[in-house]
Amino acid sequence: MSSRTATASGRTGRLGRFLRDNGLGLAFITAFLVVLVAQAFAGHAAYNNRLLTDGMARAGLGDYITSSDFGVDVMENWQSEYLQFFLYIFATVWLVQRGSPESKELHKAGRESDEDQMVGERARDDSPGWAASRGWRQGAYARSLGMVMGLIFLLSWLAQSITGTAAHNERRLRRLQAPTSWSEYVFSADFWSRTLQNWQSELLAIGSMAILSIYLRQRGSPEFKPVGSGHAETGVEG
């Protein structure tokens, strides 16, 4: 085998391993981008229908994806998703659900011991550096995922409120009505109707997952118990 062929084969092998080792993340990122593009095209068509109804000229795709209408539609979904993860991460520290693989074992409710969490003097050689440290570094790292999820939620919620204000005022101006301020919009029925309809669906979905996974199985998924496990087994994953 020539050196060029061997090099190409090695690159192919590394690419194959990379795709295998990161398949879950890559699949969802790809699916996200595909759906976001599809949303842009569908939203563009609906946006132009509203413009025509109001007697306005049609907008180009580029104008639509940089508009407040597209921005608020994207942000209101992002903030509800990250709120779901933020609440779930912190709720599962203290709350348990008997029989659910989404829950910790019943006796492990709470922050757990340093030994269980492998922090401080109980850290292993391959533990992250901040897990082995003391003080604020360990405390911050021990809560880093929840804090980042919470921060993304707050930023996307803020972005939703700003883009929502702009979109709301655009609709008002078409009807020759005076625009509203950001604070007025944030306390308006329109804002909370859009927000709460997303929150309730996310909370229902995560509650359903925790309860249905007590009795139902999905073979091979680490999110569920082994098919033959008992309904009362808690915190067991396949």
Side-chain angles (χ1 to χ4, degrees):
M1 180 183 296
S2 68
S3 59
R4 182 176 298 179
T5 302
T7 300
S9 177
R11 289 174 179 171
T12 302
R14 287 194 296 272
L15 177 60
R17 287 193 296 273
F18 175 80
L19 294 175
R20 181 201 63 194
D21 294 348
N22 300 280
L24 185 61
L26 291 172
F28 275 94
I29 290 172
T30 301
F32 160 73
L33 294 174
V34 169
V35 173
L36 184 63
V37 171
Q39 178 190 349
F41 280 101
H44 177 233
Y47 181 65
N48 275 332
N49 288 337
R50 292 195 297 269
L51 289 178
L52 293 174
T53 300
D54 293 338
M56 308 288 288
R58 294 172 60 88
L61 180 62
D63 293 328
Y64 171 67
I65 62 176
T66 56
S67 71
S68 55
D69 276 76
F70 181 67
V72 69
D73 287 343
V74 172
M75 288 297 109
E76 73 178 29
N77 285 300
W78 287 16
Q79 60 90 5
S80 64
E81 294 293 341
Y82 282 102
L83 174 66
Q84 174 195 135
F85 284 116
F86 169 72
L87 293 177
Y88 182 72
I89 288 166
F90 280 102
T92 52
V93 174
W94 303 99
L95 303 180
V96 295
Q97 178 64 54
R98 182 180 178 87
S100 177
E102 299 294 314
S103 165
K104 295 194 294 187
E105 295 177 57
L106 302 180
H107 67 281
K108 290 187 176 181
R111 297 173 62 246
E112 301 183 22
S113 66
D114 287 357
E115 182 177 5
D116 289 334
Q117 290 294 308
M118 297 175 288
V119 296
E121 295 178 355
R122 301 293 185 173
R124 304 183 313 195
D125 292 340
D126 61 345
S127 296
W130 281 29
S133 65
R134 291 287 184 181
W136 70 269
R137 288 185 178 86
Q138 184 192 114
Y141 187 69
R143 298 167 180 82
S144 55
L145 180 59
M147 291 190 297
V148 168
M149 290 293 183
L151 178 61
I152 296 174
F153 159 68
L154 290 175
L155 291 176
S156 54
W157 183 87
L158 177 61
Q160 178 201 345
S161 69
I162 294 171
T163 54
T165 302
H168 181 69
N169 282 333
E170 183 180 339
R171 292 191 293 271
R172 289 181 63 85
L173 290 173
R174 290 180 201 157
R175 304 185 189 104
L176 302 180
Q177 297 173 329
T180 60
S181 66
W182 175 80
S183 59
E184 289 174 327
Y185 178 71
V186 166
F187 288 101
S188 71
D190 181 79
F191 175 76
W192 284 105
S193 175
R194 296 176 68 102
T195 299
L196 293 174
Q197 68 179 335
N198 284 288
W199 288 5
Q200 54 87 12
S201 63
E202 301 298 340
L203 295 173
L204 175 63
I206 200 166
S208 299
M209 174 70 84
I211 295 171
L212 291 176
S213 59
I214 298 173
Y215 306 103
L216 306 179
R217 308 287 189 268
Q218 183 61 53
R219 182 169 182 161
S221 174
E223 295 299 314
F224 293 86
K225 297 187 285 188
V227 177
S229 59
H231 294 325
E233 291 188 48
T234 307
V236 178
E237 296 180 342

